[in-house]
Amino acid sequence: MDKELREKVSEILHDEWVTWSKRMAEELRVIRDHIINGDTDNAINVIDERIAAFKEYQIPYSELDEDIKDEDRLYADKTIRLLRKLAIKEV
């Protein structure tokens, strides 16, 4: 296995995870604040909204709306650029 390729793809995937985890951390902070303030109904609403949003996109890629596909395409483009760059180095 090509170690450099593996590391570069891992970096791209990690960047995606960082973006996602920042959004999740903010949503968890909102939930925590609702709970601290005794507002469990709103905390539950935020949780229910996230569950619904996750469920909405747990479908085959071909069934996603174009704007959601565009988000996935950003990471695909990064990976393709990396592969092309490495292919040029190989020639």
Side-chain angles (χ1 to χ4, degrees):
M1 177 181 301
D2 183 318
K3 185 177 179 179
E4 181 182 4
L5 175 60
R6 184 179 192 208
E7 289 304 304
K8 291 293 187 183
V9 171
S10 295
E11 182 179 353
I12 290 168
L13 294 174
H14 178 72
D15 289 347
E16 180 179 9
W17 176 85
V18 167
T19 300
W20 175 83
S21 68
K22 284 179 180 179
R23 286 194 317 260
M24 290 297 99
E26 176 58 23
E27 290 183 19
L28 290 171
R29 186 197 61 73
V30 169
I31 293 167
R32 182 200 64 209
D33 289 350
H34 283 309
I35 292 169
I36 288 171
N37 294 324
D39 191 2
T40 55
D41 287 344
N42 274 332
I44 291 169
N45 286 341
V46 172
I47 293 167
D48 288 344
E49 287 170 6
R50 290 312 303 149
I51 291 169
F54 282 132
K55 223 173 179 181
E56 179 181 356
Y57 300 120
Q58 293 172 345
I59 59 175
Y61 177 81
S62 62
E63 295 176 24
L64 291 171
D65 291 337
E66 287 301 309
D67 60 323
I68 301 303
K69 286 182 179 181
D70 284 343
E71 292 181 30
D72 290 339
R73 290 172 180 139
L74 292 174
Y75 290 98
D77 291 346
K78 288 180 183 180
T79 303
I80 290 166
R81 281 193 299 274
L82 169 65
L83 293 172
R84 286 184 178 149
K85 180 179 174 183
L86 290 172
I88 290 170
K89 285 173 68 174
E90 296 286 325
V91 173

